[in-house]
Amino acid sequence: ISLAHFVLTALHMVQMTLAYFLMLIVMTYNTWLCLSVIFGSTLGNQIYLVTLDPHSTMGRGGVETKGNQGTCY
């Protein structure tokens, strides 16, 4: 087992733990907590999808670029 495999396994464990905690928050049926989970998940996805997706047409700083120019992928 390599170090990279161990790190990916640890990150998966953290992700699953957070997912179960978020599920428990939603299962309280508190409207504001449910909306907070949905809003936070949507915002986090939007932020990290744009900054980490190498095939995104968004350039640095969220500025639209034509044909992925200005990025070194």
Side-chain angles (χ1 to χ4, degrees):
I1 297 178
S2 67
L3 178 63
H5 184 76
F6 178 75
V7 169
L8 287 175
T9 302
L11 288 174
H12 178 74
M13 182 182 68
V14 169
Q15 181 180 8
M16 292 305 299
T17 302
L18 289 174
Y20 276 108
F21 281 132
L22 290 174
M23 179 189 66
L24 289 173
I25 289 171
V26 170
M27 288 177 64
T28 64
Y29 296 109
N30 183 325
T31 304
W32 297 111
L33 289 177
C34 291
L35 289 175
S36 296
V37 168
I38 292 169
F39 178 73
S41 176
T42 304
L43 183 65
N45 183 44
Q46 182 63 31
I47 290 171
Y48 289 109
L49 183 66
V50 169
T51 58
L52 296 180
D53 184 14
H55 303 295
S56 175
T57 59
M58 300 295 278
R60 292 193 177 137
V63 177
E64 183 77 27
T65 58
K66 188 172 185 176
N68 228 4
Q69 297 171 354
T71 57
C72 48
Y73 296 110

